[in-house]
Amino acid sequence: MLTLINTNRMMPPIGPIGLEYVAEAAQDQGLEVEVLDLCLCDDPDAALTAHFSDHAPALIGLSFRNVDDCFWPSAQWFVPDLTRLVQRLRSLSDTPIVAGGVGFSTFARRVIEATGVDFGVHGDGEQATVALYRQLHNGRAFETVDGLLWRRDGQIICNRPAWPSSLSLPTRRRAVDNATYFARGGQCGIETKRGCNRRCLYCADPLAKGAHSRLRAPREVADEVESLLAQGIDVLHTCDAEFNIPRSHALAVCEELLRRGLGEKIQWYTYLAVTPFDAELARAMKRAGCVGINFTGDSASETMLRTYRQPHRAADLADAVRLCRDNGIKVMIDLLLGGPGETPETAATTIEFVKKIGPDCAGASVGIRIYPGTGMVEMVASEGPLETNPAIRRKYAGPCDFFQPTFYIAPGLGPEPARLVKDLIAGDQRFFEPTEERPDAATTDHNYNDNAELVDAIAQGARGAYWDILHRLRAM
């Protein structure tokens, strides 16, 4: 038996889509699978005790979705919780433990070292987990399992990441309680692809999912949509890095949804790069059921867009908002303020431009989470010792360690960068303002982790992307 455990307990609850794909892939290969979903448990420890008193699995799999909440100044780190869970599992069972998921893959070796799990999967878990299960029973040739991290003679061995060029995933979506996630979380996720070939300065997606877009067949995506719809789930959110990379695949997915008549039956939200996006794609998305787009805008300052390695310009951002307006699609722009070289002038340029083009809402985050393996590391290193760099923000002592939440805020924004940005926003309710760094500061950003306002709204029937729900609450 394979026991798969969802370790993510963020609220509102997000369905463990990766764990579900792994569970169904393992079932398709003849494995007996049990899913223990700690997110939906009122008493996780009691659920663990009950499960392992009745089950003796051959392998325990842990899904680790988020290393931290990626917001400053909250900077909540989830690795200690995972470590405590592993210790608890050790007290209940001597079964080998494997960890996986996007959060794990971003810091694979470090998570193994910190938690003491026996194995890890860097990349796609559907094939790797089954292969590991079989090697534990027959041969233990762990070097043959793509994506596997394992121990030999006290050393951690890292096989090549599991990023198969051909991406095909199960479509049943019956391994977890999606109906409850929909009721408590207001949406359910779906993947149309994995990986990203963009080279944004700060982004860890290529490290976790691969540096090339690996595409699912549009018919497979539509099959999965139909499976969820049959369970009463009609509000979805894509989990792709950027739905329109590449544009041709996004258009093909929309066409398949339209061919099956699903555009009138579902509503879905997505993340989009600002380019490529044009009238044809906007119309197709709308007809296929898209009701909201969150654009990776980052900035409207030409200087900062070049720094972030974004291919779009401010004019493209204006065109994107206009196309959404023309097609009746709600629009959110995610801004990233405080990167290297940011000044009060560049921040003002961005905020005034966004006010002018008029999206439904905009996230004005201040601070960039620094991930090893991204361009941010090299750029920050060029500024001198990390420990004395005034741009570094962190809540832990000792040497700088990017495994723990570590953020960059350009010193040019002054001693109170969040206050400066809030003054520039000047009360415009379309913006989710950054939270100030004072201990007594009220939370004003759009961090979804443990967001009581969101939880309450969803319990009262709100559905959709969280930025859209929060926007609707402001309009009440």
Side-chain angles (χ1 to χ4, degrees):
M1 176 189 293
L2 169 65
T3 290
L4 296 176
I5 300 176
N6 177 26
T7 69
N8 179 28
R9 287 182 53 79
M10 289 177 66
M11 291 292 150
I14 299 293
I17 183 173
L19 179 144
E20 188 168 23
Y21 287 142
V22 170
E24 293 188 344
Q27 291 170 349
D28 288 344
Q29 293 299 312
L31 274 61
E32 181 183 359
V33 180
E34 291 284 343
V35 173
L36 180 56
D37 196 341
L38 300 184
C39 188
L40 301 182
C41 293
D42 294 331
D43 187 340
D45 191 68
L48 288 166
T49 301
H51 179 86
F52 287 100
S53 66
D54 295 334
H55 300 82
L59 179 65
I60 299 169
L62 305 181
S63 175
F64 191 45
R65 179 175 181 264
N66 299 97
V67 172
D68 56 86
D69 65 6
C70 301
F71 267 83
W72 180 260
S74 57
Q76 186 174 351
W77 194 38
F78 303 131
V79 173
D81 292 335
L82 182 66
T83 302
R84 285 188 287 271
L85 173 60
V86 171
Q87 293 170 347
R88 179 62 176 142
L89 289 170
R90 297 294 193 205
S91 73
L92 297 170
S93 172
D94 58 2
T95 299
I97 300 172
V98 58
V102 173
F104 174 84
S105 293
T106 305
F107 292 97
R109 178 187 288 272
R110 294 296 304 274
V111 174
I112 286 187
E113 292 171 344
T115 64
V117 295
D118 303 285
F119 301 97
V121 173
H122 181 183
D124 297 5
E126 291 80 13
Q127 298 174 23
T129 304
V130 174
L132 169 61
Y133 187 95
R134 289 179 172 162
Q135 288 300 332
L136 286 169
H137 291 81
N138 183 22
R140 301 180 72 85
F142 299 133
E143 68 276 3
T144 66
V145 181
D146 279 356
L148 193 67
L149 283 82
W150 51 290
R151 289 184 172 87
R152 181 174 61 196
D153 300 328
Q155 301 295 314
I156 297 175
I157 309 299
C158 303
N159 296 350
R160 66 180 183 181
W163 296 328
S165 57
S166 177
L167 180 63
S168 180
L169 302 172
T171 63
R172 292 185 302 276
R173 299 296 300 271
R174 295 281 181 176
V176 304
D177 187 356
N178 285 303
T180 296
Y181 274 108
F182 187 50
R184 298 184 186 178
Q187 59 180 315
C188 281
I190 187 168
E191 283 187 301
T192 78
K193 64 178 71 69
R194 288 177 181 167
C196 185
N197 61 3
R198 288 155 57 91
R199 295 292 185 271
C200 301
L201 180 75
Y202 50 81
C203 186
D205 263 6
L207 307 177
K209 300 181 181 182
H212 301 281
S213 295
R214 299 176 289 121
L215 314 177
R216 293 180 77 185
R219 66 179 182 278
E220 187 176 287
V221 175
D223 286 346
E224 188 170 331
V225 170
E226 290 181 335
S227 296
L228 290 167
L229 193 57
Q231 299 174 52
I233 297 162
D234 58 1
V235 181
L236 308 175
H237 202 305
T238 66
C239 299
D240 312 344
E242 310 284 10
F243 177 68
N244 57 333
I245 306 294
R247 176 191 180 279
S248 58
H249 183 257
L251 193 59
V253 169
C254 292
E255 290 171 347
E256 182 65 18
L257 295 176
L258 283 166
R259 190 184 68 80
R260 300 197 193 187
L262 293 170
E264 298 178 356
K265 298 177 182 178
I266 60 172
Q267 296 183 339
W268 52 278
Y269 297 79
T270 190
Y271 302 107
L272 243 66
V274 177
T275 58
F277 186 58
D278 54 33
E280 181 186 21
L281 181 56
R283 285 194 299 268
M285 290 174 65
K286 176 62 176 179
R287 292 176 58 224
C290 180
V291 295
I293 297 174
N294 186 345
F295 285 102
T296 306
D298 286 356
S299 179
S301 159
E302 298 299 312
T303 298
M304 295 309 301
L305 288 172
R306 286 193 295 270
T307 296
Y308 291 144
R309 302 177 185 171
Q310 286 290 4
H312 70 266
R313 304 272 71 89
D316 299 315
L317 197 54
D319 288 343
V321 173
R322 177 183 53 79
L323 286 168
C324 288
R325 293 285 181 234
D326 290 347
N327 289 277
I329 300 173
K330 296 178 182 179
V331 55
M332 159 87 164
I333 299 174
D334 253 325
L335 302 175
L336 197 55
L337 303 171
E342 189 87 84
T343 65
E345 292 74 25
T346 60
T349 295
T350 293
I351 291 169
E352 290 306 313
F353 188 83
V354 171
K355 288 180 180 180
K356 179 180 177 181
I357 63 178
D360 291 286
C361 47
S365 298
V366 174
I368 298 179
R369 174 45 158 115
I370 305 174
Y371 291 102
T374 65
M376 272 297 296
V377 173
E378 182 178 348
M379 187 168 287
V380 174
S382 70
E383 297 179 356
L386 294 171
E387 284 72 23
T388 58
N389 188 332
I392 298 297
R393 299 290 204 278
R394 56 190 178 123
K395 292 190 172 182
Y396 59 91
C400 277
D401 179 4
F402 297 146
F403 185 33
Q404 300 187 55
T406 308
F407 295 79
Y408 183 103
I409 301 178
L413 291 181
E416 297 184 81
R419 169 47 56 188
L420 176 124
V421 171
K422 291 173 83 167
D423 288 344
L424 292 171
I425 291 170
D428 191 323
Q429 286 296 295
R430 292 172 297 183
F431 287 82
F432 298 113
E433 298 177 335
T435 296
E436 296 184 62
E437 297 178 35
R438 304 190 323 268
D440 61 341
T443 299
T444 54
D445 56 39
H446 59 301
N447 188 349
Y448 305 139
N449 180 28
D450 291 333
N451 191 312
E453 186 179 25
L454 269 176
V455 171
D456 291 344
I458 293 167
Q460 294 172 26
R463 298 289 180 266
Y466 293 159
W467 59 264
D468 190 23
I469 294 175
L470 291 172
H471 175 254
R472 280 179 262 155
L473 290 175
R474 291 185 173 195
M476 293 174 63

